[in-house]
Amino acid sequence: MPADPQWIEDALLRWIVFVPLGTALASGLLLAVFRRTLSSSLVVWMSCGSVFASFGLSSLSFAKLVGLFGEVPVDDVPPRVLIDTLYTWVGVGVGNSAFSADLAFRYDALSAVMCLVVTGVGFLIHVYSVGYMRADTRDDGGLQRFFCYLNLFIAAMLVLVLADNLLLMFLGWEGVGLCSYLLIGFWYGDRQNAYAGSKAFIVNRIGDFGFIVGILLLFWSMADAGQPAVSFRAIEAGFGSVASQTLALPGWLGGGEIGLATSIGLCFFLGAVGKSAQLPLFVWLPDAMAGPTPVSALIHAATMVTAGVYMAVRLSFLYEAAPGALVVIAWTGGVTAVFAALLATAQNDIKKVLAYSTISQLGYMFLAVGCGAYAIAIFHLVTHAFFKALLFMGAGAVIVATHHEQDMRRMGGLRKKLKLTYWVMVAGVLAICGFPGFSGFFSKDEILTSVFFAHELPGHVALYWMGVATAGLTAFYMFRLLFLTFHGKTRLPRGRRGELDDPEDTMMWPLQILAVLAVLGGIIGLPQFWGDRIGVAESNSLGHFLASVVRLGEPHALDAGVVAQLVGGVLAASITGFGLAYVLYISRPGLREKLEPVLGVPRRVVARRFYVDELYDAVFVRPLVIFSDRVLSRGIDAGLIDGRLVMGSAHAVRGLAAHVLKHLQSGLAQAYLLLMLAGTVALLAYLVT
Amino acid sequence: MEAEAFDVAALAPLGFVAIGALVTLMLEVVLSRRAFVGEGVDPETRLVARARIGIVLAFASSAAIVLAMYAAIYQFELGFETAFGPGRPMLQLDALSTFATALIGLGALLSVWLSITYLPALRINHGEYYALLLLSTAGMFVLVSAVDLISLYLGLELTSLPIYALAGFNRRRLRSNEAALKYFLMGAVASAVLLYGMALLYGATGHTDFTGISQGFAGGGGLALSGLALVIAGLAFKVSVVPFHQWTPDVYEGAPTSVTAFMAVTVKTAGFVVLMRFLVLALPEMGEKVSVLLGVLAGLSMLIGNLMAVVQDNVKRMLAYSAVAHAGYLMVGFAAGTPEAWTAVLFYLFVYLFMTVGVFCVVIALAQGGREWDSIEDFAGLASQRPALAAVMTLFLLSLAGIPGTAGFMAKFYLVVAAVDAGQIALVLILVGTSMVSFFYYLRLPVVMYMQKRRQDPDAETSSSEIVVLALCAAAILYFAFFAQADPFGTGVRALDVAGRAADFLH
């Protein structure tokens, strides 16, 4: 981690954000304010074009940034950050409370990777959406609305990853949350969808609360130390002075002290838990599948949900000073990974399987962050974006082809009809399961290696085995998905079996590009061990690239024996999972019925997601509703607030207004004059005495 | 502060509007003579002719105001600083007065534009309207540069008298008559109180000019303090601070809406600026006591204004109480009394102009057929019929409520920061608390506009002059939400810096 990276101003960055933002605003304003609908081809071209332009600009900046890396450093720290400061949005106060927030974007290695993923994968999903939304007949006037939200999302996500300070990042953070809400409930005619959108929004609120508290805690503790700052540059430079401070815990938490860095880190992590759907706030993501499938692919798999990982990596300098927070992150990630993978095995809705799988893979990323392997977390983020977007869009292709059938129990045998879809799905499944050579293999293997060597992490052996178990479960549920959907005999209702075919080309060619990326994407971060085998020095280009932003761990002492052990363990688990799926769903499906009574209870428990939703419902929602209804609503609200305070206060206000103040406001000029004079007398009396 | 005897250039803004007033008056006479003298003029032609005359007059007044604003801005740019008055300065031309002059000019200009189609719609298209409006504007120009009690009083009366007439301009409507009469009665009493206070101050200090008063005031004394109390009471009436606010709802509701918009922004600006100058110049070290007093007035205005606005069914009446509440917010800055607070107050007045003119412009755009559409039910379902109008209305209301992303938020933000830095925590808490109350009545209109079915069907169209005003106000509110302190187009002008420069004179 360079001590104090200098930066270069580059006014191009703003356009990466502004182009999609402008498009979204233009079409949104036209629709909402002027009630003009544009022709669908114009909407499509504008929308896809703006994201592609954004991708092009990101690539330009990327080239510029890489160019900086090639330069011979003049002094110790060559500038490896592009900054675009638009202006100081607000700057007030003096001294310790001085507060100044710039509207500034930052393009360093980390932003670059995120930016390229968001705009690149985002563009492919935009193109895919053109076909998907055309095939969708539920909403006829909504194409413009859909692409407006989608572009707004891309803009907000870019603000999030390009922000140079915490406030702007928070703006993007909330922006993507808003778009997520809007798009989950896109078909708001169905009450369930609207409900799912609200659920996502409300659960995220808990996380956002942590985020805000984190920002304030960080700002004030640094202001107390005489270095008020919100920009990442300033925070990183000045954080050392407060890193060692401690906070006294209140008595009901057992007293004692907690490191300031740890508490700030935990607050921010709470935000990440909400946004990235980790335990215990994961419940919104499966329900978020109510949105259109491209939305699930873009927002709820490839980009937005990884914002938590991005934030943790962006603040890695903070977490470096907070080992306690890292332990919490690692364990949350590890437990979520295995837990969500377990849940995925019992889902019948094809999108729900993928949703749980996303939660599980995000758990992997946090596991990596917890081990201090930030670059590897980002590596997995990238490969996951490729293969998960691919899987979701493949699932979407199936859904479109079968006329909105999502239940895998009513699919089967689609392999022969949807040939291309089948093969891209196979590529995605192999990538996520870590088939040697595919992208997921390298990133997952790297994560498990870092866990294996994370000796300073309490319980790292347990975490390692949880990771291995997750790999096995992943293979099981992914192949289960593949077999149920594409193999065996078709279980589609008779009427729908006829003209099944791969969807149109605009949907298929993004899938093919992503399939290539999912297979080959691993080369961007090829671990050095494998690089040595094929004779490439410095093969881990992503890691070296990110080294300008995050601390890279010491290279592990790997010899062939250790690698064989590590890879062997994962592969064994994966093959077991695959084998189990093969036996249960291909070779001896009858076995399932026999196992049914034995596995009945655990299966039902898993199928009902360990009753987490019910638990929350019983522990939080129901009591809250009852409390809200009985006590707050009927008792306090209807009784006290409505009755006494609102009716009371409205009555009091109204009454006050109507009876007392209105008496004053009687409309009679003489009464007005009286009050005026009374006021004057009061003024006189006060000032003179 | 030794001034030249007569620096006429310094009085340019005042001259332009005063001459403009006379010109419009004469023009009206000449034009209507040409239009109406002669046999067999049927009512239809008469109406059309009247509308044409109205447009000509509006253009003439606009020209006068634009010239005045141009002069004021030019003087501001130059850093003009001179006093007007032989030996003893009566008017002080400086950054504050030129800033306020430009601001009032802008308010007057927008009000003129609002009137062009509104007056014919209400069938009150009489020529003296524009002359009265310009005369009142001239009075405010005097007011904001007054540094002497005499010129202050002169300015105040010149401001008020035309407005009394304007408030009752809708002669056939009882409410309008009532508004004018009430405003006049109250105003007369307030003037009397003010005048009495001035007399006491003069008696106590032997001076009528602010700086002289401040020297004579040093000892304090009951007489001087009584005078101060009465002057504050008299000025508090003009800016409708509780308990001197009661005329506000009646007058705002009864007066023609274009007049309401005019007085809501310009009189408030002028009143606050003169109060600011008086307090700072006449009481350089404002005692704890005065600060507490202003704080109490602020708190009362915020509470009463916001609470009373909740129960109103008429939009103009609701906006009147909201104006009381905003006067309370501004008084928080007065109670703080730091340079940052004065800057925040001036910036707030600047932003307030756009939100208020915008909101009243929407009410005006609804008026037609000789009647106003200003009850809350009249807005039901507006979004389905005139979506753009409903959208900008929502924007203005959000800005008045102080939602982030609008200039109203920034204005409130700077005010709150200044007040917190000055240690006025209690007032800030009231401000935040009552702002929450205000969401209720501000957001009620969007709810009604977007979520209810259209009941009535006035098929009025937004006229081009109204579109210009609405677009300008909406653009300003969005622009200053993001660029209050920035200069994205390289004009060298930053809004907050301008306000800061205007307030700079005061310390």
Side-chain angles (χ1 to χ4, degrees), chain A residues 371-376 550-556:
Chain A
C371 300
Y374 307 108
I376 293 165
V550 297
R551 182 188 63 85
L552 286 189
E554 293 297 309
H556 307 300

Side-chain angles (χ1 to χ4, degrees), chain A residues 469-493:
Chain A
T470 307
L473 286 167
T474 307
F476 174 73
Y477 69 69
M478 284 317 301
F479 278 103
R480 173 175 174 266
L481 181 148
L482 196 70
F483 294 154
L484 274 177
T485 312
F486 290 100
H487 290 255
K489 285 208 181 93
T490 182
R491 296 180 296 281
L492 274 174

Side-chain angles (χ1 to χ4, degrees), chain A residues 332-344 360 363 465-467 469-471 473 610:
Chain A
T332 310
V335 173
T336 307
V338 69
F339 180 75
L342 202 56
L343 294 187
S360 167
W465 286 111
M466 281 158 77
T470 307
L473 286 167
F610 283 92

